[in-house]
């Protein structure tokens, strides 16, 4: 790229563009690290949304059976929300 084309594409002081490129690279690397490399839980079968209200309540020493709830084979974890009553 010739000097004339570069000055038209990146007007102003080249030092400002270098600083902007370095900061842009660092921001992109941080964004990539947060999106691609950090493990997160995904709630499959529920559009990846956790419950906000109790599904059911139970008394002490009672069994909790919910009809129509199936845990698929190969499920790695099941999450329970337990709140003091």
């Amino acid at each position: 790229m010739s000097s004339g084309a570069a000055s038209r594409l990146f007007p102003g002081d080249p030092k400002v563009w270098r600083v902007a490129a370095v900061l842009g690279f660092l921001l992109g690397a941080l964004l990539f690290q947060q999106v691609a490399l950090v493990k997160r839980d995904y709630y499959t079968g529920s559009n990846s949304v956790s419950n906000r209200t109790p599904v059911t309540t139970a008394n002490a020493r009672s069994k909790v059976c919910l009809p129509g709830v199936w845990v698929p084979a190969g499920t790695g974890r099941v999450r329970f929300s337990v709140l003091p009553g």
Side-chain angles (χ1 to χ4, degrees), residues 11 53 60 65 68 85:
T53 59
C65 297

Side-chain angles (χ1 to χ4, degrees), residues 51-69:
N51 62 320
R52 291 181 181 234
T53 59
V55 176
T56 188
T57 56
N59 297 323
R61 296 183 180 88
S62 65
K63 291 184 180 181
V64 178
C65 297
L66 298 173
V69 175

Side-chain angles (χ1 to χ4, degrees), residues 4-41:
S7 65
R8 283 195 307 269
L9 188 58
F10 302 106
D13 189 3
K15 292 177 187 176
V16 173
W17 285 104
R18 286 187 202 110
V19 170
V22 168
L23 291 177
F25 175 78
L26 292 175
L27 183 62
L30 179 65
L31 181 65
F32 174 77
Q33 186 264 339
Q34 286 296 314
V35 171
L37 301 178
V38 174
K39 287 189 163 197
R40 290 181 172 78
D41 290 330

Side-chain angles (χ1 to χ4, degrees), residues 54 81-85:
S81 295
V82 180
L83 303 172

